Amino acid sequence: MKVSELKPRATVPEITLELVSKGETREFANDRGSGKVCSAAAKDEDGEEVTLSLWNEQIDQVKEGQKVKIENGWCSEFQGQKQVSTGKFGKMTVLE
């Protein structure tokens, strides 16, 4: 799958992205629990960028320049920007 094929509020069967940059890690707490989240800029093989949401232990698993594969992930939309994450059921694999 490519960034151009992503649809908000839809599953992402599989996508490979290269991490361009990581933003600040933020703490969060809500009725479902608490933890950490980091928004990262990532791009696909065509160079098209999307925001990748990294949660808790995922934040330290990947560095800028590395590629990750998201399987069974989720695409959401925030302030008009598409965001990809593993969602509730997906997994992230660091490729290099």
Side-chain angles (χ1 to χ4, degrees):
M1 186 170 223
K2 298 188 186 294
V3 170
S4 60
E5 300 170 316
L6 293 171
K7 304 235 182 310
R9 292 173 298 289
T11 57
V12 179
E14 184 177 304
I15 191 167
T16 299
L17 298 167
E18 180 183 333
L19 207 69
V20 176
S21 64
K22 283 165 73 169
E24 292 292 313
T25 299
R26 304 179 304 281
E27 304 273 336
F28 72 89
N30 59 29
D31 54 352
R32 290 180 294 209
S34 62
K36 298 184 295 184
V37 64
C38 174
S39 294
K43 64 181 179 181
D44 64 13
E45 61 193 20
D46 294 339
E48 197 165 347
E49 290 200 10
V50 67
T51 299
L52 175 62
S53 298
L54 300 169
W55 298 92
N56 299 313
E57 68 278 352
Q58 293 175 343
I59 297 168
D60 297 322
Q61 289 174 352
V62 65
K63 296 178 183 62
E64 292 174 9
Q66 288 184 309
K67 289 186 179 174
V68 295
K69 180 166 69 171
I70 303 290
E71 296 172 278
N72 199 22
W74 183 253
C75 180
S76 58
E77 193 172 33
F78 181 70
Q79 294 180 341
Q81 297 276 16
K82 288 187 260 189
Q83 296 187 330
V84 174
S85 72
T86 51
K88 289 183 190 157
F89 308 109
K91 78 174 201 179
M92 180 182 83
T93 307
V94 179
L95 301 177
E96 48 184 76

